[in-house]
Tab-separated table of all heavy atoms in Angstrom:
chain	number	residue	atom	x	y	z
U	1	ILE	N	0.835	-1.198	0.000
U	1	ILE	CA	0.000	0.000	0.000
U	1	ILE	C	0.873	1.252	0.000
U	1	ILE	O	0.596	2.221	-0.723
U	1	ILE	CB	-0.963	-0.011	1.207
U	1	ILE	CG1	-2.036	-1.077	0.981
U	1	ILE	CG2	-1.601	1.357	1.420
U	1	ILE	CD1	-2.937	-1.317	2.166
U	2	ILE	N	1.948	1.246	0.787
U	2	ILE	CA	2.888	2.370	0.777
U	2	ILE	C	3.487	2.547	-0.618
U	2	ILE	O	3.624	3.661	-1.124
U	2	ILE	CB	4.002	2.155	1.821
U	2	ILE	CG1	3.432	2.290	3.236
U	2	ILE	CG2	5.144	3.152	1.622
U	2	ILE	CD1	4.415	1.982	4.326
U	3	GLU	N	3.835	1.432	-1.251
U	3	GLU	CA	4.384	1.479	-2.613
U	3	GLU	C	3.385	2.113	-3.578
U	3	GLU	O	3.749	2.949	-4.416
U	3	GLU	CB	4.732	0.058	-3.064
U	3	GLU	CG	5.324	-0.025	-4.456
U	3	GLU	CD	5.651	-1.467	-4.862
U	3	GLU	OE1	5.731	-2.332	-3.964
U	3	GLU	OE2	5.819	-1.712	-6.062
U	4	ALA	N	2.106	1.744	-3.450
U	4	ALA	CA	1.074	2.293	-4.328
U	4	ALA	C	0.889	3.792	-4.080
U	4	ALA	O	0.680	4.570	-5.016
U	4	ALA	CB	-0.247	1.560	-4.102
U	5	ILE	N	0.982	4.211	-2.805
U	5	ILE	CA	0.870	5.642	-2.479
U	5	ILE	C	2.021	6.419	-3.100
U	5	ILE	O	1.831	7.497	-3.666
U	5	ILE	CB	0.842	5.840	-0.947
U	5	ILE	CG1	-0.455	5.275	-0.360
U	5	ILE	CG2	0.965	7.325	-0.603
U	5	ILE	CD1	-0.493	5.278	1.154
U	6	ILE	N	3.240	5.868	-2.996
U	6	ILE	CA	4.417	6.535	-3.569
U	6	ILE	C	4.246	6.728	-5.071
U	6	ILE	O	4.478	7.812	-5.615
U	6	ILE	CB	5.696	5.731	-3.273
U	6	ILE	CG1	6.035	5.788	-1.781
U	6	ILE	CG2	6.882	6.265	-4.084
U	6	ILE	CD1	7.162	4.854	-1.372
U	7	LYS	N	3.825	5.679	-5.761
U	7	LYS	CA	3.661	5.755	-7.217
U	7	LYS	C	2.626	6.806	-7.603
U	7	LYS	O	2.819	7.581	-8.542
U	7	LYS	CB	3.259	4.387	-7.769
U	7	LYS	CG	4.390	3.384	-7.802
U	7	LYS	CD	3.932	2.094	-8.464
U	7	LYS	CE	5.087	1.121	-8.616
U	7	LYS	NZ	4.670	-0.136	-9.266
U	8	LYS	N	1.506	6.816	-6.858
U	8	LYS	CA	0.445	7.776	-7.184
U	8	LYS	C	0.900	9.203	-6.880
U	8	LYS	O	0.623	10.134	-7.648
U	8	LYS	CB	-0.811	7.435	-6.375
U	8	LYS	CG	-2.063	8.212	-6.794
U	8	LYS	CD	-2.495	7.825	-8.197
U	8	LYS	CE	-3.787	8.536	-8.614
U	8	LYS	NZ	-4.970	7.973	-7.928
U	9	ALA	N	1.623	9.382	-5.789
U	9	ALA	CA	2.082	10.718	-5.402
U	9	ALA	C	3.100	11.270	-6.386
U	9	ALA	O	3.191	12.483	-6.585
U	9	ALA	CB	2.674	10.682	-3.997
U	10	LEU	N	3.890	10.391	-7.017
U	10	LEU	CA	4.894	10.835	-7.984
U	10	LEU	C	4.289	11.174	-9.344
U	10	LEU	O	4.953	11.739	-10.195
U	10	LEU	CB	5.971	9.753	-8.159
U	10	LEU	CG	6.909	9.537	-6.964
U	10	LEU	CD1	7.861	8.386	-7.247
U	10	LEU	CD2	7.682	10.800	-6.642
U	11	ASN	N	3.014	10.822	-9.535
U	11	ASN	CA	2.328	11.149	-10.776
U	11	ASN	C	2.135	12.659	-10.859
U	11	ASN	O	1.714	13.305	-9.900
U	11	ASN	CB	0.963	10.435	-10.804
U	11	ASN	CG	0.299	10.526	-12.163
U	11	ASN	OD1	0.118	11.607	-12.705
U	11	ASN	ND2	-0.069	9.385	-12.709
U	12	PHE	N	2.453	13.238	-12.021
U	12	PHE	CA	2.379	14.694	-12.187
U	12	PHE	C	0.987	15.239	-11.876
U	12	PHE	O	0.839	16.351	-11.379
U	12	PHE	CB	2.782	15.078	-13.609
U	12	PHE	CG	2.822	16.564	-13.843
U	12	PHE	CD1	3.891	17.323	-13.370
U	12	PHE	CD2	1.803	17.213	-14.519
U	12	PHE	CE1	3.938	18.702	-13.575
U	12	PHE	CE2	1.844	18.582	-14.731
U	12	PHE	CZ	2.914	19.325	-14.254
U	13	GLU	N	-0.053	14.440	-12.147
U	13	GLU	CA	-1.417	14.888	-11.907
U	13	GLU	C	-1.690	15.115	-10.427
U	13	GLU	O	-2.645	15.809	-10.066
U	13	GLU	CB	-2.406	13.858	-12.470
U	13	GLU	CG	-2.364	13.742	-13.989
U	13	GLU	CD	-3.292	12.659	-14.503
U	13	GLU	OE1	-3.915	11.962	-13.660
U	13	GLU	OE2	-3.406	12.505	-15.729
U	14	SER	N	-0.859	14.527	-9.556
U	14	SER	CA	-1.063	14.667	-8.114
U	14	SER	C	-0.482	15.962	-7.567
U	14	SER	O	-0.700	16.304	-6.401
U	14	SER	CB	-0.425	13.474	-7.378
U	14	SER	OG	-0.991	12.257	-7.808
U	15	LEU	N	0.244	16.714	-8.410
U	15	LEU	CA	0.953	17.905	-7.958
U	15	LEU	C	0.029	18.926	-7.303
U	15	LEU	O	0.352	19.507	-6.263
U	15	LEU	CB	1.694	18.545	-9.138
U	15	LEU	CG	2.649	19.698	-8.818
U	15	LEU	CD1	3.772	19.219	-7.918
U	15	LEU	CD2	3.215	20.292	-10.102
U	16	THR	N	-1.144	19.141	-7.903
U	16	THR	CA	-2.065	20.152	-7.382
U	16	THR	C	-2.668	19.756	-6.042
U	16	THR	O	-3.305	20.584	-5.376
U	16	THR	CB	-3.204	20.403	-8.389
U	16	THR	OG1	-3.877	19.156	-8.643
U	16	THR	CG2	-2.666	20.967	-9.697
U	17	LYS	N	-2.497	18.512	-5.649
U	17	LYS	CA	-3.084	18.034	-4.399
U	17	LYS	C	-2.100	18.060	-3.236
U	17	LYS	O	-2.447	17.698	-2.114
U	17	LYS	CB	-3.605	16.604	-4.596
U	17	LYS	CG	-4.593	16.484	-5.755
U	17	LYS	CD	-4.874	15.042	-6.115
U	17	LYS	CE	-5.789	14.954	-7.335
U	17	LYS	NZ	-6.000	13.571	-7.784
U	18	TYR	N	-0.861	18.499	-3.493
U	18	TYR	CA	0.175	18.424	-2.470
U	18	TYR	C	-0.109	19.298	-1.257
U	18	TYR	O	0.250	18.945	-0.141
U	18	TYR	CB	1.535	18.792	-3.066
U	18	TYR	CG	2.159	17.699	-3.899
U	18	TYR	CD1	3.378	17.893	-4.534
U	18	TYR	CD2	1.535	16.468	-4.053
U	18	TYR	CE1	3.964	16.892	-5.308
U	18	TYR	CE2	2.100	15.469	-4.820
U	18	TYR	CZ	3.312	15.688	-5.445
U	18	TYR	OH	3.884	14.688	-6.201
U	19	THR	N	-0.750	20.465	-1.467
U	19	THR	CA	-1.031	21.338	-0.333
U	19	THR	C	-1.974	20.648	0.651
U	19	THR	O	-1.733	20.629	1.859
U	19	THR	CB	-1.653	22.667	-0.807
U	19	THR	OG1	-0.731	23.328	-1.677
U	19	THR	CG2	-1.973	23.568	0.371
U	20	ALA	N	-3.045	20.065	0.130
U	20	ALA	CA	-4.005	19.360	0.994
U	20	ALA	C	-3.350	18.157	1.661
U	20	ALA	O	-3.606	17.867	2.837
U	20	ALA	CB	-5.220	18.908	0.168
U	21	ILE	N	-2.479	17.461	0.908
U	21	ILE	CA	-1.776	16.304	1.473
U	21	ILE	C	-0.849	16.755	2.592
U	21	ILE	O	-0.767	16.115	3.650
U	21	ILE	CB	-0.986	15.561	0.371
U	21	ILE	CG1	-1.958	14.895	-0.616
U	21	ILE	CG2	-0.056	14.515	0.980
U	21	ILE	CD1	-1.285	14.312	-1.835
U	22	ALA	N	-0.136	17.874	2.363
U	22	ALA	CA	0.781	18.390	3.390
U	22	ALA	C	0.037	18.741	4.664
U	22	ALA	O	0.513	18.482	5.775
U	22	ALA	CB	1.521	19.614	2.860
U	23	GLU	N	-1.148	19.325	4.530
U	23	GLU	CA	-1.942	19.672	5.707
U	23	GLU	C	-2.369	18.408	6.454
U	23	GLU	O	-2.345	18.360	7.686
U	23	GLU	CB	-3.162	20.489	5.288
U	23	GLU	CG	-2.805	21.884	4.782
U	23	GLU	CD	-3.988	22.617	4.201
U	23	GLU	OE1	-5.074	22.000	4.092
U	23	GLU	OE2	-3.843	23.809	3.858
U	24	THR	N	-2.753	17.386	5.698
U	24	THR	CA	-3.143	16.117	6.308
U	24	THR	C	-1.977	15.484	7.043
U	24	THR	O	-2.105	15.054	8.189
U	24	THR	CB	-3.651	15.133	5.223
U	24	THR	OG1	-4.826	15.675	4.620
U	24	THR	CG2	-3.970	13.781	5.820
U	25	VAL	N	-0.829	15.434	6.363
U	25	VAL	CA	0.364	14.839	6.975
U	25	VAL	C	0.783	15.632	8.208
U	25	VAL	O	1.083	15.051	9.258
U	25	VAL	CB	1.525	14.788	5.952
U	25	VAL	CG1	2.827	14.414	6.644
U	25	VAL	CG2	1.213	13.771	4.860
U	26	GLY	N	0.783	16.967	8.095
U	26	GLY	CA	1.206	17.790	9.210
U	26	GLY	C	0.367	17.590	10.455
U	26	GLY	O	0.865	17.678	11.580
U	27	ASN	N	-0.913	17.280	10.276
U	27	ASN	CA	-1.811	17.083	11.409
U	27	ASN	C	-1.749	15.672	11.975
U	27	ASN	O	-2.317	15.422	13.046
U	27	ASN	CB	-3.259	17.381	10.992
U	27	ASN	CG	-3.488	18.853	10.755
U	27	ASN	OD1	-2.865	19.689	11.391
U	27	ASN	ND2	-4.369	19.182	9.824
U	28	ASN	N	-1.116	14.766	11.272
U	28	ASN	CA	-1.158	13.357	11.686
U	28	ASN	C	0.200	12.681	11.677
U	28	ASN	O	0.286	11.457	11.642
U	28	ASN	CB	-2.111	12.571	10.766
U	28	ASN	CG	-3.544	13.000	10.915
U	28	ASN	OD1	-4.224	12.616	11.848
U	28	ASN	ND2	-4.010	13.835	9.996
U	29	MET	N	1.264	13.465	11.715
U	29	MET	CA	2.598	12.886	11.638
U	29	MET	C	3.536	13.557	12.629
U	29	MET	O	3.381	14.726	12.964
U	29	MET	CB	3.166	13.033	10.225
U	29	MET	CG	4.581	12.491	10.055
U	29	MET	SD	5.237	12.708	8.383
U	29	MET	CE	5.579	14.479	8.379
U	30	GLN	N	4.510	12.777	13.074
U	30	GLN	CA	5.619	13.302	13.856
U	30	GLN	C	6.889	12.736	13.244
U	30	GLN	O	6.958	11.542	12.952
U	30	GLN	CB	5.486	12.855	15.313
U	30	GLN	CG	6.409	13.582	16.274
U	30	GLN	CD	5.961	13.391	17.709
U	30	GLN	OE1	4.990	14.007	18.151
U	30	GLN	NE2	6.633	12.520	18.427
U	31	THR	N	7.893	13.580	13.007
U	31	THR	CA	9.076	13.128	12.288
U	31	THR	C	10.282	14.003	12.612
U	31	THR	O	10.131	15.137	13.083
U	31	THR	CB	8.827	13.153	10.762
U	31	THR	OG1	9.976	12.660	10.076
U	31	THR	CG2	8.515	14.555	10.276
U	32	ASN	N	11.474	13.476	12.357
U	32	ASN	CA	12.685	14.294	12.458
U	32	ASN	C	13.179	14.705	11.073
U	32	ASN	O	14.326	15.104	10.907
U	32	ASN	CB	13.792	13.564	13.232
U	32	ASN	CG	14.239	12.274	12.552
U	32	ASN	OD1	13.549	11.746	11.684
U	32	ASN	ND2	15.387	11.759	12.955
U	33	LEU	N	12.298	14.622	10.092
U	33	LEU	CA	12.578	15.128	8.744
U	33	LEU	C	12.201	16.601	8.653
U	33	LEU	O	11.085	16.988	9.032
U	33	LEU	CB	11.777	14.355	7.699
U	33	LEU	CG	12.299	12.998	7.243
U	33	LEU	CD1	11.175	12.207	6.606
U	33	LEU	CD2	13.450	13.161	6.265
U	34	ARG	N	13.116	17.407	8.178
U	34	ARG	CA	12.808	18.797	7.851
U	34	ARG	C	12.379	18.873	6.393
U	34	ARG	O	12.600	17.935	5.617
U	34	ARG	CB	14.042	19.677	8.064
U	34	ARG	CG	14.483	19.819	9.516
U	34	ARG	CD	13.581	20.735	10.294
U	34	ARG	NE	14.171	21.119	11.576
U	34	ARG	CZ	13.540	21.843	12.474
U	34	ARG	NH1	12.305	22.253	12.248
U	34	ARG	NH2	14.133	22.169	13.622
U	35	MET	N	11.797	19.991	6.005
U	35	MET	CA	11.395	20.183	4.617
U	35	MET	C	12.602	20.073	3.695
U	35	MET	O	12.506	19.499	2.609
U	35	MET	CB	10.712	21.542	4.448
U	35	MET	CG	10.177	21.791	3.052
U	35	MET	SD	8.933	20.569	2.559
U	35	MET	CE	8.734	20.998	0.830
U	36	ARG	N	13.744	20.606	4.125
U	36	ARG	CA	14.946	20.541	3.283
U	36	ARG	C	15.392	19.097	3.075
U	36	ARG	O	15.926	18.746	2.026
U	36	ARG	CB	16.078	21.363	3.904
U	36	ARG	CG	16.534	20.902	5.283
U	36	ARG	CD	17.717	21.706	5.793
U	36	ARG	NE	18.144	21.278	7.114
U	36	ARG	CZ	17.687	21.800	8.247
U	36	ARG	NH1	16.781	22.761	8.207
U	36	ARG	NH2	18.127	21.361	9.416
U	37	ASP	N	15.172	18.233	4.091
U	37	ASP	CA	15.522	16.815	3.954
U	37	ASP	C	14.620	16.144	2.921
U	37	ASP	O	15.079	15.365	2.084
U	37	ASP	CB	15.389	16.098	5.299
U	37	ASP	CG	16.280	16.700	6.376
U	37	ASP	OD1	17.441	17.013	6.060
U	37	ASP	OD2	15.817	16.861	7.508
U	38	MET	N	13.325	16.457	3.001
U	38	MET	CA	12.377	15.873	2.045
U	38	MET	C	12.675	16.337	0.629
U	38	MET	O	12.567	15.568	-0.326
U	38	MET	CB	10.950	16.234	2.438
U	38	MET	CG	10.498	15.619	3.737
U	38	MET	SD	8.733	15.865	4.019
U	38	MET	CE	8.537	15.012	5.584
U	39	THR	N	13.037	17.613	0.495
U	39	THR	CA	13.380	18.147	-0.823
U	39	THR	C	14.599	17.439	-1.388
U	39	THR	O	14.644	17.095	-2.583
U	39	THR	CB	13.660	19.659	-0.737
U	39	THR	OG1	12.521	20.316	-0.180
U	39	THR	CG2	13.947	20.236	-2.116
U	40	ALA	N	15.590	17.194	-0.534
U	40	ALA	CA	16.802	16.486	-0.971
U	40	ALA	C	16.472	15.062	-1.390
U	40	ALA	O	16.959	14.574	-2.416
U	40	ALA	CB	17.843	16.477	0.146
U	41	ILE	N	15.624	14.394	-0.619
U	41	ILE	CA	15.238	13.021	-0.947
U	41	ILE	C	14.479	12.979	-2.268
U	41	ILE	O	14.636	12.057	-3.071
U	41	ILE	CB	14.396	12.419	0.195
U	41	ILE	CG1	15.280	12.215	1.435
U	41	ILE	CG2	13.767	11.097	-0.222
U	41	ILE	CD1	14.516	11.947	2.703
U	42	ALA	N	13.665	14.013	-2.513
U	42	ALA	CA	12.903	14.075	-3.763
U	42	ALA	C	13.803	14.210	-4.974
U	42	ALA	O	13.407	13.909	-6.102
U	42	ALA	CB	11.920	15.243	-3.719
């Protein structure tokens, strides 16, 4: 399921949904990843 989420999220059509996804993740996640780390991983 995680693999399927990754594939769908990498689809260009999902780009416009990133703000809503970020809000969802921000409200339901705890992590030691900074935005700069995620950008580097991307």
Side-chain angles (χ1 to χ4, degrees):
I1 289 172
I2 290 175
E3 181 180 342
I5 292 173
I6 291 171
K7 286 184 175 180
K8 190 66 177 286
L10 290 177
N11 190 306
F12 184 77
E13 294 177 357
S14 301
L15 188 62
T16 58
K17 305 168 184 175
Y18 283 178
T19 300
I21 292 172
E23 291 172 354
T24 297
V25 170
N27 289 329
N28 294 281
M29 178 181 74
Q30 193 164 284
T31 182
N32 62 343
L33 279 161
R34 293 285 193 185
M35 184 60 189
R36 61 176 179 269
D37 301 318
M38 294 189 179
T39 303
I41 291 166

